Amino acid sequence: MDYRSNVTYITFGGHVEVHKYRYLYFVVMFTVYILIISSNLTIVCIIMIHKNLHEPMYIFIAALLINSVLLSTAIYPKLLIDFLSEKQIISYPACLFQWFLYYWLGSSDFFLLSVMAYDRYVSICNPLQYPTIMQEKKVNIFLISAWILPACQTSGAMLLSAKKEICTFNLKGILCNSTVQTLHCVRSRIQNIYGLIVLVTTVVLPVLFILFTYGRILVVSYRCRGVRGRAAQTCLPHLLVLINFSCLTAYDVLLPRLELDSPEIVRLIMTLQVLIYHPLFNPIIYGLKMRRIYDHLKKLFCRMV
């Protein structure tokens, strides 16, 4: 059946008793969305306003938090509309676009975390060369690359999916993520190979690079007592964010491939964790663990009180 001439909409089948708890779902998720926007943008504004935070490390943190806002905005408005709608549906082109935004911005997070790890490596292991290596031009190149490279790779996967014929029009989920592949009549080998390449280049290699750089930092910190406190203060937040995001990504990537027949409530809870934890986790970690940001936040709240 050709969806373009017969069926144009995909039904989200992952909602649990949405007609019964629609207003509760809406209020909770709307509150979470407002918290995500306000908490992330607050720290971004603090970094932009205060000149002592105009350093590569804090610029990368601001980029990561902006990424969280963009990712949430790609998901939450549609999700909130679905909670109040009689039918939870989306057109297939719109579904592919949401899928593209979801994985483009998610992949950008790994690239940004890699750049942040490199920045910490240079700062701690080669402090004298740090101003020369991390110049403004190079920082801008890193930021642009962290968004453009994942966009190019993810767009290729989206175009391959767009050419595939779909035979199923019910999606076992509440958003268009990797489960979109289950809609296709036949899974092509080319698409699987390309997806594996994208997974390796956007997730596996960045994670290995991050672990390698922090391993080197750990060795230097062990040898030089003077940098231990500095390394722990600046590297621990990045590692916590990496661990949290890697665990959520692993679940999202493995879910459609394992094809586990898990209960709907379990799928819903796990998906909501992906949508809630990471965007809220980042500003909390960086706001509390990064000393300079924490000091500015404390001053801001004191003025408000």
Side-chain angles (χ1 to χ4, degrees), residues 15-87:
H15 293 276
V16 178
E17 298 190 36
V18 65
H19 298 291
K20 184 177 181 181
Y21 300 109
R22 66 169 71 250
Y23 297 111
L24 177 61
Y25 284 152
F26 180 86
V27 171
V28 171
M29 296 306 291
F30 180 75
T31 303
V32 170
Y33 183 49
I34 296 299
L35 286 174
I36 290 172
I37 298 296
S38 57
S39 59
N40 282 276
L41 291 185
T42 297
I43 296 181
V44 171
C45 290
I46 286 176
I47 293 173
M48 292 175 61
I49 292 172
H50 298 282
K51 292 184 178 181
N52 68 329
L53 298 180
H54 292 180
E55 299 177 4
M57 177 177 65
Y58 297 102
I59 292 173
F60 295 141
I61 290 175
L64 188 70
L65 298 182
I66 291 174
N67 222 42
S68 295
V69 173
L70 294 175
L71 180 60
S72 299
T73 303
I75 302 298
Y76 275 81
K78 172 57 181 169
L79 196 60
L80 293 173
I81 292 173
D82 285 340
F83 288 147
L84 299 181
S85 302
E86 290 298 323
K87 294 182 179 181

Side-chain angles (χ1 to χ4, degrees), residues 185-204:
C185 300
V186 179
R187 295 189 184 183
S188 67
R189 181 175 298 179
I190 295 177
Q191 189 174 14
N192 290 334
I193 294 174
Y194 185 82
L196 181 61
I197 293 173
V198 172
L199 177 65
V200 171
T201 55
T202 60
V203 178
V204 178

Side-chain angles (χ1 to χ4, degrees), residues 148-256:
I148 290 182
L149 291 178
C152 294
Q153 292 178 317
T154 308
S155 61
M158 182 188 67
L159 292 175
L160 288 175
S161 294
K163 295 179 180 180
K164 296 288 293 183
E165 184 180 3
I166 60 175
C167 294
T168 304
F169 304 96
N170 185 59
L171 200 62
K172 293 182 179 179
I174 61 175
L175 61 107
C176 295
N177 54 7
S178 54
T179 54
V180 169
Q181 297 178 9
T182 61
L183 302 176
H184 299 159
C185 300
V186 179
R187 295 189 184 183
S188 67
R189 181 175 298 179
I190 295 177
Q191 189 174 14
N192 290 334
I193 294 174
Y194 185 82
L196 181 61
I197 293 173
V198 172
L199 177 65
V200 171
T201 55
T202 60
V203 178
V204 178
L205 291 181
V207 169
L208 291 177
F209 175 77
I210 294 169
L211 294 177
F212 171 77
T213 53
Y214 283 130
R216 294 291 299 169
I217 292 173
L218 183 64
V219 171
V220 173
S221 302
Y222 179 77
R223 293 175 180 174
C224 305
R225 294 183 179 180
V227 300
R228 289 183 185 178
R230 181 185 172 192
Q233 182 182 5
T234 59
C235 295
L236 182 60
H238 303 325
L239 284 174
L240 291 175
V241 170
L242 173 67
I243 293 171
N244 173 69
F245 192 53
S246 296
C247 292
L248 296 176
T249 301
Y251 163 79
D252 184 78
V253 171
L254 293 176
L255 178 63

